[in-house]
Amino acid sequence: MTPQELRALCLSFNAAVEDFPFSPEISVFKVLGKMFALTHLDARPLTVNLKCDPEDAVRLRAEYEGLVVPGWHMNKRHWNTVSAGELPDRFVRELVEDSYDLVVAGLPRAERLKLDRP
C-alpha cells in the first residue's frame, strides 16, 4: 500500500477527516473527533497505528511477528503499529476498517446515528 492509498482509504469512511495535532508530518485520521489511525505518510517503511480489539491485537502480533507490533507511543493493549507497506493491501484495508468501526462503536448513540445520515 502506498501513502496515497492509505490516506485515501482513511478518508473514504463516513465523517473521516485528516488532522495534524502533533506535527505537520503526522497525519491523524479521526471520526467525529476520535482518532482511528495515525501515520507519518513520508516514513519508510510506511506504518500506521490502528485501534484493535485487545484479544485480536495479541493474536495479530503473534501471527505477523515484526509486521504488527504494539502501538508505538499508544496504549499497547488497544493499539497496534502495522507495516502498511509490507502487508497485503486487502489485509491492511480490513485492519483500518476494523479500527474505524471500533472507534465508531465507542461513540455516543446520538453521534453514531448522525453517521448514518447523508
Side-chain angles (χ1 to χ4, degrees):
M1 179 168 290
T2 68
Q4 296 80 12
E5 290 170 333
L6 180 59
R7 173 183 273 137
L9 171 63
C10 290
L11 292 173
S12 70
F13 297 103
N14 197 4
V17 296
E18 184 177 16
D19 194 11
F20 301 90
F22 305 118
S23 76
E25 298 85 27
I26 306 296
S27 294
V28 176
F29 297 94
K30 298 179 178 182
V31 55
L32 299 180
K34 301 291 184 181
M35 178 171 54
F36 68 91
L38 179 143
T39 185
H40 185 304
L41 290 167
D42 292 330
R44 298 295 174 265
L46 177 62
T47 62
V48 59
N49 285 1
L50 299 170
K51 192 165 181 84
C52 191
D53 174 79
E55 290 179 16
D56 288 339
V58 172
R59 180 185 55 78
L60 290 168
R61 292 170 195 165
E63 191 173 334
Y64 297 94
E65 189 174 346
L67 298 175
V68 177
V69 297
W72 188 73
H73 281 292
M74 307 295 280
N75 179 328
K76 300 192 181 344
R77 185 167 187 266
H78 295 279
W79 290 83
N80 279 337
T81 298
V82 176
S83 295
E86 300 177 47
L87 290 165
D89 290 359
R90 182 177 179 174
F91 179 63
V92 174
R93 277 193 293 277
E94 289 172 7
L95 294 177
V96 173
E97 184 176 344
D98 288 348
S99 180
Y100 175 87
D101 290 343
L102 277 170
V103 172
V104 168
L107 293 171
R109 183 174 184 273
E111 290 186 3
R112 286 194 316 266
L113 291 174
K114 289 179 193 174
L115 292 175
D116 293 334
R117 296 186 185 134

PDB file of all heavy atoms in Angstrom, residues 10 18 22 37 40-44 46 60 73 79 85 90 97 100 105 108 116:
ATOM      1  N   CYS A  10      -8.272   5.955   4.478  1.00  0.00           N
ATOM      2  CA  CYS A  10      -8.707   6.530   5.761  1.00  0.00           C
ATOM      3  C   CYS A  10      -9.770   7.603   5.564  1.00  0.00           C
ATOM      4  O   CYS A  10     -10.703   7.711   6.368  1.00  0.00           O
ATOM      5  CB  CYS A  10      -7.510   7.098   6.521  1.00  0.00           C
ATOM      6  SG  CYS A  10      -6.388   5.831   7.157  1.00  0.00           S
ATOM      7  N   GLU A  18      -8.721  14.312   8.195  1.00  0.00           N
ATOM      8  CA  GLU A  18      -7.298  14.255   8.494  1.00  0.00           C
ATOM      9  C   GLU A  18      -6.942  15.494   9.300  1.00  0.00           C
ATOM     10  O   GLU A  18      -7.350  16.604   8.963  1.00  0.00           O
ATOM     11  CB  GLU A  18      -6.486  14.222   7.202  1.00  0.00           C
ATOM     12  CG  GLU A  18      -5.003  14.078   7.395  1.00  0.00           C
ATOM     13  CD  GLU A  18      -4.253  13.970   6.076  1.00  0.00           C
ATOM     14  OE1 GLU A  18      -4.823  14.309   5.014  1.00  0.00           O
ATOM     15  OE2 GLU A  18      -3.093  13.552   6.103  1.00  0.00           O
ATOM     16  N   PHE A  22      -0.206  16.876  16.239  1.00  0.00           N
ATOM     17  CA  PHE A  22       1.105  16.643  16.846  1.00  0.00           C
ATOM     18  C   PHE A  22       2.232  17.348  16.101  1.00  0.00           C
ATOM     19  O   PHE A  22       3.135  17.899  16.707  1.00  0.00           O
ATOM     20  CB  PHE A  22       1.395  15.149  16.955  1.00  0.00           C
ATOM     21  CG  PHE A  22       0.319  14.398  17.687  1.00  0.00           C
ATOM     22  CD1 PHE A  22      -0.411  13.403  17.060  1.00  0.00           C
ATOM     23  CD2 PHE A  22       0.009  14.698  19.003  1.00  0.00           C
ATOM     24  CE1 PHE A  22      -1.407  12.713  17.736  1.00  0.00           C
ATOM     25  CE2 PHE A  22      -0.989  14.026  19.687  1.00  0.00           C
ATOM     26  CZ  PHE A  22      -1.696  13.027  19.042  1.00  0.00           C
ATOM     27  N   ALA A  37      -6.703   6.296  13.224  1.00  0.00           N
ATOM     28  CA  ALA A  37      -5.444   5.956  12.552  1.00  0.00           C
ATOM     29  C   ALA A  37      -4.467   7.115  12.702  1.00  0.00           C
ATOM     30  O   ALA A  37      -4.868   8.282  12.696  1.00  0.00           O
ATOM     31  CB  ALA A  37      -5.689   5.658  11.073  1.00  0.00           C
ATOM     32  N   HIS A  40       2.848   8.559   9.735  1.00  0.00           N
ATOM     33  CA  HIS A  40       3.766   9.517   9.098  1.00  0.00           C
ATOM     34  C   HIS A  40       3.841   9.037   7.653  1.00  0.00           C
ATOM     35  O   HIS A  40       4.547   8.075   7.346  1.00  0.00           O
ATOM     36  CB  HIS A  40       5.127   9.467   9.787  1.00  0.00           C
ATOM     37  CG  HIS A  40       6.092  10.483   9.280  1.00  0.00           C
ATOM     38  ND1 HIS A  40       6.443  10.604   7.963  1.00  0.00           N
ATOM     39  CD2 HIS A  40       6.787  11.437   9.930  1.00  0.00           C
ATOM     40  CE1 HIS A  40       7.317  11.573   7.816  1.00  0.00           C
ATOM     41  NE2 HIS A  40       7.545  12.098   9.012  1.00  0.00           N
ATOM     42  N   LEU A  41       3.103   9.695   6.763  1.00  0.00           N
ATOM     43  CA  LEU A  41       2.963   9.212   5.393  1.00  0.00           C
ATOM     44  C   LEU A  41       4.260   9.234   4.594  1.00  0.00           C
ATOM     45  O   LEU A  41       4.378   8.529   3.596  1.00  0.00           O
ATOM     46  CB  LEU A  41       1.873  10.008   4.668  1.00  0.00           C
ATOM     47  CG  LEU A  41       0.455   9.723   5.166  1.00  0.00           C
ATOM     48  CD1 LEU A  41      -0.530  10.757   4.628  1.00  0.00           C
ATOM     49  CD2 LEU A  41       0.010   8.317   4.799  1.00  0.00           C
ATOM     50  N   ASP A  42       5.243  10.025   5.023  1.00  0.00           N
ATOM     51  CA  ASP A  42       6.523  10.074   4.309  1.00  0.00           C
ATOM     52  C   ASP A  42       7.562   9.108   4.879  1.00  0.00           C
ATOM     53  O   ASP A  42       8.668   9.016   4.346  1.00  0.00           O
ATOM     54  CB  ASP A  42       7.083  11.497   4.333  1.00  0.00           C
ATOM     55  CG  ASP A  42       6.236  12.454   3.517  1.00  0.00           C
ATOM     56  OD1 ASP A  42       5.617  12.009   2.523  1.00  0.00           O
ATOM     57  OD2 ASP A  42       6.181  13.641   3.871  1.00  0.00           O
ATOM     58  N   ALA A  43       7.229   8.417   5.940  1.00  0.00           N
ATOM     59  CA  ALA A  43       8.190   7.494   6.569  1.00  0.00           C
ATOM     60  C   ALA A  43       8.355   6.223   5.733  1.00  0.00           C
ATOM     61  O   ALA A  43       7.428   5.774   5.073  1.00  0.00           O
ATOM     62  CB  ALA A  43       7.729   7.130   7.971  1.00  0.00           C
ATOM     63  N   ARG A  44       9.548   5.684   5.802  1.00  0.00           N
ATOM     64  CA  ARG A  44       9.832   4.397   5.154  1.00  0.00           C
ATOM     65  C   ARG A  44      10.484   3.500   6.182  1.00  0.00           C
ATOM     66  O   ARG A  44      11.472   3.907   6.769  1.00  0.00           O
ATOM     67  CB  ARG A  44      10.748   4.568   3.939  1.00  0.00           C
ATOM     68  CG  ARG A  44      10.151   5.423   2.848  1.00  0.00           C
ATOM     69  CD  ARG A  44       8.905   4.762   2.239  1.00  0.00           C
ATOM     70  NE  ARG A  44       8.248   5.631   1.289  1.00  0.00           N
ATOM     71  CZ  ARG A  44       7.218   6.437   1.583  1.00  0.00           C
ATOM     72  NH1 ARG A  44       6.737   6.505   2.787  1.00  0.00           N
ATOM     73  NH2 ARG A  44       6.670   7.170   0.661  1.00  0.00           N
ATOM     74  N   LEU A  46       6.432   2.421   5.556  1.00  0.00           N
ATOM     75  CA  LEU A  46       5.161   3.039   5.887  1.00  0.00           C
ATOM     76  C   LEU A  46       4.465   2.219   6.968  1.00  0.00           C
ATOM     77  O   LEU A  46       4.222   1.021   6.797  1.00  0.00           O
ATOM     78  CB  LEU A  46       4.270   3.114   4.643  1.00  0.00           C
ATOM     79  CG  LEU A  46       2.868   3.680   4.844  1.00  0.00           C
ATOM     80  CD1 LEU A  46       2.930   5.128   5.315  1.00  0.00           C
ATOM     81  CD2 LEU A  46       2.061   3.559   3.555  1.00  0.00           C
ATOM     82  N   LEU A  60      -2.766 -10.961  16.345  1.00  0.00           N
ATOM     83  CA  LEU A  60      -2.137 -10.408  15.141  1.00  0.00           C
ATOM     84  C   LEU A  60      -0.640 -10.219  15.325  1.00  0.00           C
ATOM     85  O   LEU A  60       0.139 -10.473  14.404  1.00  0.00           O
ATOM     86  CB  LEU A  60      -2.799  -9.076  14.774  1.00  0.00           C
ATOM     87  CG  LEU A  60      -4.226  -9.174  14.247  1.00  0.00           C
ATOM     88  CD1 LEU A  60      -4.874  -7.794  14.188  1.00  0.00           C
ATOM     89  CD2 LEU A  60      -4.251  -9.852  12.886  1.00  0.00           C
ATOM     90  N   HIS A  73       4.007   4.585  21.021  1.00  0.00           N
ATOM     91  CA  HIS A  73       3.514   5.757  21.757  1.00  0.00           C
ATOM     92  C   HIS A  73       2.000   5.723  21.969  1.00  0.00           C
ATOM     93  O   HIS A  73       1.350   6.772  22.040  1.00  0.00           O
ATOM     94  CB  HIS A  73       3.902   7.070  21.064  1.00  0.00           C
ATOM     95  CG  HIS A  73       5.307   7.474  21.321  1.00  0.00           C
ATOM     96  ND1 HIS A  73       5.747   7.882  22.555  1.00  0.00           N
ATOM     97  CD2 HIS A  73       6.385   7.521  20.500  1.00  0.00           C
ATOM     98  CE1 HIS A  73       7.036   8.180  22.474  1.00  0.00           C
ATOM     99  NE2 HIS A  73       7.447   7.957  21.257  1.00  0.00           N
ATOM    100  N   TRP A  79      -3.880  -0.667  20.791  1.00  0.00           N
ATOM    101  CA  TRP A  79      -3.356  -0.141  19.525  1.00  0.00           C
ATOM    102  C   TRP A  79      -2.205  -0.992  19.016  1.00  0.00           C
ATOM    103  O   TRP A  79      -1.366  -1.443  19.789  1.00  0.00           O
ATOM    104  CB  TRP A  79      -2.866   1.297  19.707  1.00  0.00           C
ATOM    105  CG  TRP A  79      -3.978   2.273  19.925  1.00  0.00           C
ATOM    106  CD1 TRP A  79      -4.603   2.552  21.105  1.00  0.00           C
ATOM    107  CD2 TRP A  79      -4.611   3.078  18.940  1.00  0.00           C
ATOM    108  NE1 TRP A  79      -5.583   3.489  20.901  1.00  0.00           N
ATOM    109  CE2 TRP A  79      -5.613   3.834  19.578  1.00  0.00           C
ATOM    110  CE3 TRP A  79      -4.423   3.244  17.560  1.00  0.00           C
ATOM    111  CZ2 TRP A  79      -6.425   4.735  18.895  1.00  0.00           C
ATOM    112  CZ3 TRP A  79      -5.228   4.140  16.887  1.00  0.00           C
ATOM    113  CH2 TRP A  79      -6.212   4.873  17.547  1.00  0.00           C
ATOM    114  N   GLY A  85       3.105  -0.883   4.313  1.00  0.00           N
ATOM    115  CA  GLY A  85       3.768  -1.072   3.034  1.00  0.00           C
ATOM    116  C   GLY A  85       4.263  -2.484   2.796  1.00  0.00           C
ATOM    117  O   GLY A  85       4.670  -2.811   1.682  1.00  0.00           O
ATOM    118  N   ARG A  90      -5.227  -5.784   0.997  1.00  0.00           N
ATOM    119  CA  ARG A  90      -6.559  -6.196   1.484  1.00  0.00           C
ATOM    120  C   ARG A  90      -6.564  -6.341   3.008  1.00  0.00           C
ATOM    121  O   ARG A  90      -7.503  -5.928   3.681  1.00  0.00           O
ATOM    122  CB  ARG A  90      -6.972  -7.504   0.818  1.00  0.00           C
ATOM    123  CG  ARG A  90      -8.337  -7.970   1.220  1.00  0.00           C
ATOM    124  CD  ARG A  90      -8.730  -9.222   0.495  1.00  0.00           C
ATOM    125  NE  ARG A  90     -10.049  -9.650   0.947  1.00  0.00           N
ATOM    126  CZ  ARG A  90     -10.713 -10.634   0.425  1.00  0.00           C
ATOM    127  NH1 ARG A  90     -10.219 -11.299  -0.602  1.00  0.00           N
ATOM    128  NH2 ARG A  90     -11.877 -10.969   0.904  1.00  0.00           N
ATOM    129  N   GLU A  97     -10.408  -0.586   8.529  1.00  0.00           N
ATOM    130  CA  GLU A  97     -11.866  -0.604   8.692  1.00  0.00           C
ATOM    131  C   GLU A  97     -12.253  -1.049  10.099  1.00  0.00           C
ATOM    132  O   GLU A  97     -13.146  -0.462  10.724  1.00  0.00           O
ATOM    133  CB  GLU A  97     -12.512  -1.523   7.661  1.00  0.00           C
ATOM    134  CG  GLU A  97     -14.018  -1.523   7.712  1.00  0.00           C
ATOM    135  CD  GLU A  97     -14.661  -2.355   6.616  1.00  0.00           C
ATOM    136  OE1 GLU A  97     -13.989  -2.697   5.633  1.00  0.00           O
ATOM    137  OE2 GLU A  97     -15.863  -2.663   6.753  1.00  0.00           O
ATOM    138  N   TYR A 100     -11.657   1.879  12.484  1.00  0.00           N
ATOM    139  CA  TYR A 100     -12.738   2.867  12.336  1.00  0.00           C
ATOM    140  C   TYR A 100     -14.004   2.363  13.037  1.00  0.00           C
ATOM    141  O   TYR A 100     -14.633   3.087  13.800  1.00  0.00           O
ATOM    142  CB  TYR A 100     -12.993   3.123  10.848  1.00  0.00           C
ATOM    143  CG  TYR A 100     -14.164   4.021  10.568  1.00  0.00           C
ATOM    144  CD1 TYR A 100     -14.012   5.404  10.534  1.00  0.00           C
ATOM    145  CD2 TYR A 100     -15.431   3.496  10.331  1.00  0.00           C
ATOM    146  CE1 TYR A 100     -15.096   6.241  10.279  1.00  0.00           C
ATOM    147  CE2 TYR A 100     -16.514   4.323  10.072  1.00  0.00           C
ATOM    148  CZ  TYR A 100     -16.340   5.691  10.046  1.00  0.00           C
ATOM    149  OH  TYR A 100     -17.426   6.509   9.795  1.00  0.00           O
ATOM    150  N   ALA A 105     -18.075   2.509  17.275  1.00  0.00           N
ATOM    151  CA  ALA A 105     -18.855   1.759  18.268  1.00  0.00           C
ATOM    152  C   ALA A 105     -18.748   2.393  19.648  1.00  0.00           C
ATOM    153  O   ALA A 105     -19.669   2.264  20.465  1.00  0.00           O
ATOM    154  CB  ALA A 105     -18.400   0.307  18.318  1.00  0.00           C
ATOM    155  N   PRO A 108     -21.043   8.002  21.446  1.00  0.00           N
ATOM    156  CA  PRO A 108     -22.409   8.039  21.979  1.00  0.00           C
ATOM    157  C   PRO A 108     -23.422   7.721  20.867  1.00  0.00           C
ATOM    158  O   PRO A 108     -23.191   8.028  19.694  1.00  0.00           O
ATOM    159  CB  PRO A 108     -22.572   9.482  22.462  1.00  0.00           C
ATOM    160  CG  PRO A 108     -21.180   9.966  22.690  1.00  0.00           C
ATOM    161  CD  PRO A 108     -20.324   9.246  21.680  1.00  0.00           C
ATOM    162  N   ASP A 116     -25.066   7.736  10.071  1.00  0.00           N
ATOM    163  CA  ASP A 116     -25.911   7.001   9.138  1.00  0.00           C
ATOM    164  C   ASP A 116     -26.681   7.912   8.187  1.00  0.00           C
ATOM    165  O   ASP A 116     -27.264   7.444   7.224  1.00  0.00           O
ATOM    166  CB  ASP A 116     -26.904   6.122   9.898  1.00  0.00           C
ATOM    167  CG  ASP A 116     -26.202   5.003  10.654  1.00  0.00           C
ATOM    168  OD1 ASP A 116     -25.103   4.616  10.220  1.00  0.00           O
ATOM    169  OD2 ASP A 116     -26.755   4.539  11.654  1.00  0.00           O
TER     170      ASP A 116
END
